[in-house]
């Protein structure tokens, strides 16, 4: 049974994808650069985490913490003077967890050319209460065909994450039983 199926739907009403979708925009400056003169990947990752965290908090109605970041992909370098837009939305929800999809776009601050996608990522957030314990989140309600596709793809990523975690745990247990050190 899936995490989604275990939740009593009558308990918390669902929220549409658009209810928590957000965009964070930031102009990149010289203090954001790496040794190559382009924007440091860590700066972009922080913006991604900030936008995803805002979306997770909005969707869940309270605090949410980053549990994992999957598939952070950098497609193009970001330069000083780029206006970066980080677009995020909840793709999937479980009982207390949410996958947030993020697209990173960049455009020159002083030009009217279309923004280019420069990165993407998927993050998993866990909603927590005041004691840091998991708390239930509303189910996400996909509104468009694109939202439905993202929901289905998120379920596949979740299955892969859980299988990978299980396989690693089993390998470590086997090595420990054989007296092998890590």
């Amino acid at each position: 049974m899936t995490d989604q199926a275990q939740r009593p739907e009558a308990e918390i009403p669902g929220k549409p994808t658009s209810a928590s979708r957000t965009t964070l925009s930031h102009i990149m400056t010289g203090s954001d650069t790496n040794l190559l003169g382009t924007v440091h990947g860590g700066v972009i990752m922080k913006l991604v985490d900030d936008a995803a965290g805002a979306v997770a908090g909005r969707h869940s109605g309270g605090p949410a913490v980053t549990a994992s970041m999957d598939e952070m992909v950098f497609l193009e370098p970001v330069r000083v003077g780029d206006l970066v837009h980080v677009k995020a939305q909840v793709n999937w929800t479980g009982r207390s967890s949410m996958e947030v999809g993020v697209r990173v776009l960049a455009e020159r601050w002083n030009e009217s050319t279309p923004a280019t996608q420069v990165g993407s990522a998927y993050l998993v957030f866990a909603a927590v209460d005041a004691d840091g314990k998991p708390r239930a989140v509303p189910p996400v309600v996909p509104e468009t065909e694109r939202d439905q596709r993202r929901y289905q793809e998120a379920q596949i990523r979740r299955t892969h994450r859980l299988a990978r975690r299980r396989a690693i745990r089993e390998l470590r247990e086997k090595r420990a039983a054989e007296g092998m050190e890590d």
Side-chain angles (χ1 to χ4, degrees), residues 70-138:
D70 287 353
E71 299 179 40
M72 180 71 216
V73 177
F74 298 98
L75 303 170
E76 298 284 335
V78 176
R79 302 174 294 155
V80 170
D82 281 352
L83 178 57
V84 172
H85 307 285
V86 183
K87 298 176 176 281
Q89 74 172 47
V90 172
N91 290 335
W92 175 90
T93 52
R95 195 169 20 88
S96 61
S97 62
M98 301 157 275
E99 183 195 89
V100 178
V102 181
R103 288 181 55 219
V104 183
L105 306 161
E107 62 182 312
R108 295 305 294 166
W109 69 274
N110 60 346
E111 297 175 8
S112 58
T113 55
T116 302
Q117 184 171 353
V118 295
S120 65
Y122 300 101
L123 295 87
V124 177
F125 279 79
V128 295
D129 63 17
D131 297 322
K133 303 290 185 207
R135 63 181 176 79
V137 299

Side-chain angles (χ1 to χ4, degrees), residues 6-68:
Q6 292 173 357
R7 177 190 15 235
E9 295 300 327
E11 188 177 306
I12 301 175
K15 283 187 176 180
T17 306
S18 62
S20 57
R21 188 179 289 143
T22 193
T23 301
L24 172 69
S25 297
H26 188 78
I27 294 177
M28 299 291 107
T29 66
S31 64
D32 298 318
T33 60
N34 59 27
L35 296 175
L36 298 175
T38 57
V39 172
H40 195 287
V43 170
I44 301 300
M45 290 173 75
K46 181 176 183 333
L47 293 173
V48 164
D49 192 43
D50 287 347
V55 166
R58 282 180 167 188
H59 183 83
S60 68
V65 296
T66 309
S68 70

